[in-house]
Amino acid sequence: MMRKAFIFDLDGVIVDTAKYHFLAWKNLANSLGIHFTAEQNEQLKGVSRIQSLKKILEWGDKTISEKEFTQLMAVKNEEYLAYISKMGTNEILQDVPRVLDYLISKKQAVGLGSASKNARIILKRVSLYDRFDTIVDGTNVSKAKPDPEVFLLAAKDLGVSAKNSIVFEDSVAGIEAANTAGMISIGIGDKKILHKADYIFTDFTEIKEEFINQLIKNN
């Protein structure tokens, strides 16, 4: 079988850290007198911390100094880190380990491409760190999704071309990034939201070995 690159986003694909981001952003927004909703939080999926805070300030029609902006990002991250420090293997989304182990058994290249600067910490907390051949996160890239930089860098690290790379994503920005890179995009989540993906599954329980085999074989 041909060696392909299978690149996973982290938040909402491997683990559900979106709930922790929501709590941290909501507390920060409320401290500024800004009402923050779950619907708005959906728009921050796959978006960098800097861009997320900019969006929240725009929604609240707030202007703050550069110093306060930096301080607020640190406050948000500290609260988020407090949440994820308690994470364990029980927080891995269903059937993710099965798919990872199957890809490894087929000698496929497995990578992570995430906007999160805490990706390595989270993967270690849930005991999945060693499953990945490369980890590219927010500390390695300068451009946020929908720019394809994070996925292109992961594919390069894995020694696989973009056209032979497959991306698992739960965000619109992530799907756009994969498509722009010329990679196969697999949406994990709502079909209505992720309709631009090449394939869409509600979760990994729907992804069967036969489907993975077909992805590996296709040129």
Side-chain angles (χ1 to χ4, degrees):
M1 285 188 176
M2 181 182 283
R3 189 171 187 263
K4 300 286 184 74
F6 289 82
I7 305 168
F8 294 73
D9 177 42
L10 178 66
D11 299 340
V13 173
I14 294 173
V15 290
D16 182 18
T17 46
K19 58 190 175 187
Y20 301 133
H21 282 298
F22 175 59
L23 289 170
W25 280 129
K26 185 173 177 62
N27 289 338
L28 183 148
N30 290 347
S31 73
L32 294 169
I34 299 171
H35 180 62
F36 183 67
T37 67
E39 288 72 27
Q40 287 172 324
N41 190 60
E42 284 293 314
Q43 295 181 49
L44 303 185
K45 281 187 174 180
V47 178
S48 69
R49 200 183 313 157
I50 292 173
Q51 292 304 318
S52 293
L53 181 51
K54 284 181 179 179
K55 279 181 175 288
I56 289 170
L57 292 171
E58 285 173 11
W59 290 329
D61 196 25
K62 293 277 184 181
T63 303
I64 60 174
S65 68
E66 190 175 329
K67 182 181 178 182
E68 188 178 0
F69 189 97
T70 303
Q71 289 173 337
L72 286 174
M73 280 204 303
V75 167
K76 187 269 175 181
N77 196 47
E78 284 171 16
E79 183 173 352
Y80 176 68
L81 286 173
Y83 288 129
I84 65 174
S85 68
K86 301 181 180 72
M87 290 180 72
T89 55
N90 62 308
E91 300 218 39
I92 301 170
L93 293 175
Q94 192 174 357
D95 269 19
V96 170
R98 174 184 63 82
V99 172
L100 286 172
D101 288 344
Y102 188 74
L103 291 171
I104 293 167
S105 76
K106 292 294 181 181
K107 297 180 169 51
Q108 298 301 299
V110 179
L112 186 95
S114 169
S116 173
K117 290 186 177 181
N118 303 304
R120 288 172 174 81
I121 296 170
I122 293 169
L123 289 176
K124 287 175 181 176
R125 288 294 310 166
V126 299
S127 302
L128 288 179
Y129 186 84
D130 294 336
R131 302 283 224 298
F132 294 89
D133 299 310
T134 189
I135 295 170
V136 180
D137 65 10
T139 64
N140 307 115
V141 296
S142 57
K143 299 170 186 173
K145 301 169 189 175
D147 190 282
E149 182 186 20
V150 67
F151 296 141
L152 290 171
L153 185 54
K156 183 180 178 182
D157 285 353
L158 295 168
V160 179
S161 65
K163 71 175 184 177
N164 286 317
S165 298
I166 297 100
V167 171
F168 296 94
E169 259 287 355
D170 75 316
S171 72
V172 172
I175 294 298
E176 287 180 9
N179 291 344
T180 300
M183 300 176 176
I184 291 173
S185 56
I186 300 179
I188 304 295
D190 192 321
K191 288 179 170 61
K192 292 178 183 177
I193 295 172
L194 305 174
H195 59 89
K196 289 184 180 179
D198 294 313
Y199 303 95
I200 307 169
F201 298 95
T202 303
D203 55 38
F204 280 88
T205 65
E206 296 181 354
I207 298 179
K208 307 305 178 187
E209 283 74 9
E210 293 79 10
F211 173 72
I212 296 172
N213 289 340
Q214 203 59 49
L215 289 173
I216 296 170
K217 289 176 185 175
N218 288 344
N219 292 324

